[in-house]
Amino acid sequence: MQNTQQPVLRDIVLVGGGHSHVGVLRRFGMKPAPGIRLTLICRDTHTPYSGMLPGYVAGHYAYDDVHIDLRRLAEFAGARFLRTEATGIDRAGQQVICSDRPAIPYDRLSINIGSTPKLSNTGGAADHAVAVKPIHRFNDRWLALLERVRSTPGPMRIAVVGGGAGGVELLLAMQHRLRSELKALKQNPDLLAFALFTRGRTVLPTHAPNVQRRFARVLGERGVAVHCNAEVTGVDATGLTTVDGQHHHADEVVWVTRAGGAPWLRDTGLALDDSGFIQVTDTLQTVTDPNVFAAGDIASMVNHPREKAGVFAVRQGRPLARNLRLSLEDREPQPYRPQRHWLALISTGDQ
Ligand SMILES: Cc1cc2nc3c(=O)[nH]c(=O)nc-3n(C[C@H](O)[C@H](O)[C@H](O)COP(=O)(O)OP(=O)(O)OC[C@H]3O[C@@H](n4cnc5c(N)ncnc54)[C@H](O)[C@@H]3O)c2cc1C
């Protein structure tokens, strides 16, 4: 724990309770830095471990198994925890602007806020679809859906938009769980119909062809209607419309498409890539401002572009913690190179 008698000389502010900041807090908790005050700003008190999220939806894990309690972790690290949303950065004044409290000053700032689903680009999606993030909103809607299926079992159509690993995995997890619920109630699980919509010509476009074929087979065997080359152009209260003008009825539309950077970052003056992610150097410092770091999905490493995956966010925790310390001690931050290959496991929900 940080010694509370120690005068605060410098402030590190962490925006977002993503995987990298979990690592930073853990490291500062194990090795406190005298005179440095850590502050975590996060809109959620609990942050999910991404790889286990589909397992939670499938019913294999409880909520607490897959979520990290940020308030407790901050306490362990001797950090302040402020439950609020960052809405801007005043870089000249070195402070973070928050939605519902006075600005928070920083000497070093780190941003690990994940990616933001792009619902606003598709008419009606923001009102009628549910995105997997922010996680508390998805969880509330998921629990409500579970309750609806349990209390009034009847025909229901569920559409998932997005044919990447997240969309496929989440669909299979939801299907497994909801069918199990109906079976437990001695109801016919075939009352539930699932459909997957993707603008790509195949599911899992960034995976190897044999993985694509295997999952296309699993989806077929599980009775999922897969619509490829089917960009969703609109969502309404009754379902969704695809680029060919066809309307598909759906009681629930879940949005798991490729996401971008949070819109508020555009006003920070930080250099962003084409998808709105913050451009960072090998030290995880932003290319624009060495006092501002970024990691995880929101960071785009200019020299080492990689897919968005929680595994990178986790691995960046260690170099981020080290470089925040070095930078505050006016020493040279050390470069970091993400791995090229990683184990991508996609669950079929039933195992
Ligand atoms: C269904 C699904 C399954 C996945 N499975 C895997 C997998 O098996 N393996 C894998 O590697 N990746 C997986 N991913 C991808 C993975 O979820 C992301 O790459 C990972 O979560 C990114 O981590 P992060 O630390 O960048 O941010 P996140 O985990 O998204 O955390 C961001 C945090 O910042 C907070 N925040 C956001 N905006 C603000 C703000 N303005 N102010 C304050 N706080 C804010 C959020 O509340 C959250 O706590 C999956 C994704 C999905 C959708």
Side-chain angles (χ1 to χ4, degrees):
M1 281 283 283
Q2 189 170 304
N3 180 355
T4 47
Q5 306 303 313
Q6 195 80 40
V8 174
L9 304 175
R10 321 290 298 270
D11 270 299
I12 295 178
V13 175
L14 308 174
V15 172
H19 298 62
S20 317
H21 284 172
V22 165
V24 170
L25 288 165
R26 211 164 55 79
R27 284 177 175 83
F28 273 84
M30 291 187 300
K31 193 175 165 213
I36 294 179
R37 175 169 61 184
L38 273 181
T39 302
L40 173 65
I41 295 175
C42 193
R43 64 176 180 210
D44 295 307
T45 316
H46 292 87
T47 199
Y49 181 68
S50 54
M52 292 170 79
L53 189 61
Y56 160 70
V57 169
H60 305 311
Y61 305 117
Y63 182 89
D64 286 343
D65 296 335
V66 305
H67 287 83
I68 296 161
D69 183 338
L70 293 171
R71 200 180 288 279
R72 283 184 57 192
L73 181 62
E75 211 175 289
F76 166 71
R80 293 189 295 174
F81 176 66
L82 306 178
R83 186 171 179 198
T84 183
E85 189 160 10
T87 54
I89 304 168
D90 165 12
R91 286 200 297 115
Q94 300 219 144
Q95 48 184 3
V96 179
I97 317 295
C98 300
S99 59
D100 59 359
R101 57 172 302 132
I104 308 296
Y106 66 81
D107 293 292
R108 295 294 179 276
L109 172 66
S110 176
I111 305 172
N112 177 212
I113 56 173
S115 34
T116 305
K118 284 191 195 147
L119 285 145
S120 56
N121 297 354
T122 308
D127 295 325
H128 300 290
V130 56
V132 74
K133 289 177 185 183
I135 193 64
H136 65 262
R137 213 174 292 161
F138 171 76
N139 192 44
D140 289 350
R141 186 91 170 245
W142 166 241
L143 294 177
L145 177 64
L146 260 179
E147 195 43 46
R148 206 159 96 210
V149 168
R150 284 185 192 128
S151 57
T152 46
M156 187 180 284
R157 287 174 186 271
I158 296 165
V160 171
V161 182
V168 169
E169 204 175 9
L170 197 62
L171 185 151
L172 292 171
M174 289 168 65
Q175 188 195 43
H176 172 73
R177 178 70 179 277
L178 294 175
R179 284 180 65 89
S180 307
E181 294 286 337
L182 285 183
K183 281 184 206 161
L185 291 167
K186 307 260 183 288
Q187 297 285 335
N188 179 7
D190 295 336
L191 289 171
L192 300 169
F194 283 83
L196 183 75
F197 294 83
T198 174
R199 67 150 74 106
R201 54 174 191 78
T202 164
V203 292
L204 304 174
T206 60
H207 288 71
N210 64 329
V211 179
Q212 294 170 357
R213 280 195 298 275
R214 187 172 297 189
F215 271 86
R217 199 188 66 225
V218 170
L219 289 162
E221 284 167 2
R222 301 264 290 259
V224 178
V226 178
H227 302 265
C228 293
N229 302 310
E231 183 171 351
V232 174
T233 52
V235 185
D236 60 31
T238 62
L240 55 81
T241 307
T242 41
V243 66
D244 57 2
Q246 251 195 295
H247 185 267
H248 302 260
H249 176 70
D251 299 289
E252 194 73 29
V253 177
V254 182
W255 207 262
V256 205
T257 60
R258 200 165 173 248
W264 61 266
L265 291 170
R266 286 189 220 121
D267 300 324
T268 60
L270 295 171
L272 308 178
D273 72 7
D274 292 346
S275 301
F277 296 115
I278 304 168
Q279 293 190 309
V280 298
T281 67
D282 295 4
T283 58
L284 301 176
Q285 286 164 296
T286 61
V287 297
T288 318
D289 183 344
N291 292 334
V292 181
F293 292 68
D297 273 14
I298 197 59
S300 167
M301 293 194 78
V302 288
N303 296 327
H304 309 292
R306 296 287 186 272
E307 256 189 66
K308 299 297 176 195
V311 60
F312 296 114
V314 172
R315 295 280 179 100
Q316 286 171 352
R318 181 202 280 259
L320 180 62
R322 182 191 60 211
N323 285 347
L324 283 167
R325 274 184 212 263
L326 288 172
S327 166
L328 263 190
E329 292 163 1
D330 295 321
R331 290 162 65 201
E332 230 12 66
Q334 302 294 306
Y336 157 78
R337 192 191 177 96
Q339 75 263 40
R340 263 190 194 287
H341 303 286
W342 73 99
L343 185 62
L345 296 173
I346 308 171
S347 158
T348 52
D350 49 354
Q351 45 192 277

